[in-house]
Amino acid sequence: MKLLTPDLHAESILHIDLDKLKKKNIKGLIIDIDNTLVAWDIKSANDITKKWLLKLKEKGFKVCLVSNNTEDRVVKFNEELKLLAIHNAVKPRRKSFRKAMEMMGTNISNTAIIGDQIFTDVLGGNRIGIYTILVTPIESKEFWWTTFVRKIEKHVLKFVLKKKHMEE
Ligand SMILES: [Mg+2]
């Protein structure tokens, strides 16, 4: 159970207190892509995410994208960002975490993972012993929103049709 528990839970990447991470001596961030930085079906980062990634750099964090997704997806997503990146990572296996730390020049004591999945990001991070940060998946928020909007639309449509019927 402990292996599945993140050290920190945040509503989104934007809600992570970066200064607190600095105080914890975190120097390297392993970051998941799908549903952490963008929804899984979105090809590249939006301006808010780009700004946030830039802020990480300004604050002195090393960053490495680590994704279980394909080379094609990761390379395209990273085209403009030009960050360190690992594709086909097979999280929660530890190999890609080790590789990411090697690429960033960090170690277990000063590296954190940010991801949306307990069974890949959190489990993998905890297994190797780095600081784990779980964010709420972007996809499900959008899904919730879409469902919510569709429900309202349905009600509105019903109402409009009823009114129309009465007027006829
Ligand atoms: Mg993910």
Side-chain angles (χ1 to χ4, degrees):
M1 207 51 200
K2 219 177 164 194
L3 279 176
L4 298 176
T5 310
D7 292 301
L8 185 79
H9 181 245
E11 193 51 45
S12 79
I13 50 165
L14 304 175
H15 291 81
I16 299 167
D17 188 339
L18 298 175
D19 293 322
K20 230 178 187 169
L21 292 185
K22 287 241 104 176
K23 274 186 201 141
K24 282 190 181 295
N25 197 36
I26 300 294
K27 291 186 165 64
L29 296 172
I30 294 173
I31 308 179
D32 171 56
I33 298 176
D34 294 329
N35 302 334
T36 297
L37 291 176
V38 291
W40 65 272
D41 54 345
I42 303 294
K43 292 224 175 336
S44 52
N46 64 24
D47 287 343
I48 295 168
T49 304
K50 276 189 219 157
K51 233 187 216 168
W52 182 78
L53 288 167
L54 207 68
K55 203 161 99 184
L56 296 183
K57 208 175 159 191
E58 284 166 7
K59 287 197 180 276
F61 289 106
K62 294 261 166 54
V63 173
C64 184
L65 303 175
V66 175
S67 171
N68 281 357
N69 213 326
T70 60
E71 177 173 10
D72 193 48
R73 158 61 158 165
V74 175
V75 167
K76 266 186 198 142
F77 178 80
N78 195 28
E79 211 164 44
E80 203 186 325
L81 304 171
K82 296 183 172 63
L83 296 165
L84 297 171
I86 297 170
H87 54 82
N88 293 316
V90 209
K91 294 175 282 185
R93 285 183 64 183
R94 282 167 283 198
K95 201 176 159 195
S96 64
F97 291 82
R98 277 196 207 104
K99 195 174 160 198
M101 286 190 274
E102 201 184 296
M103 285 161 86
M104 294 191 290
T106 61
N107 56 51
I108 287 167
S109 69
N110 62 15
T111 305
I113 166 123
I114 304 172
D116 70 295
Q117 285 196 292
I118 288 171
F119 290 105
T120 55
D121 305 309
V122 173
L123 178 60
N126 282 340
R127 279 182 75 210
I128 200 160
I130 60 174
Y131 191 75
T132 49
I133 304 169
L134 181 72
V135 295
T136 307
I138 290 173
E139 181 201 23
S140 70
K141 261 189 269 177
E142 289 189 347
F143 179 73
W144 171 84
W145 178 246
T146 315
T147 315
F148 181 67
V149 171
R150 286 205 187 120
K151 252 186 197 160
I152 293 178
E153 282 174 340
K154 230 170 138 182
H155 279 293
V156 171
L157 190 70
K158 234 172 152 181
F159 178 78
V160 170
L161 288 178
K162 214 171 156 187
K163 223 179 148 193
K164 195 177 169 243
H165 187 73
M166 272 161 37
E167 280 168 359
E168 276 173 351

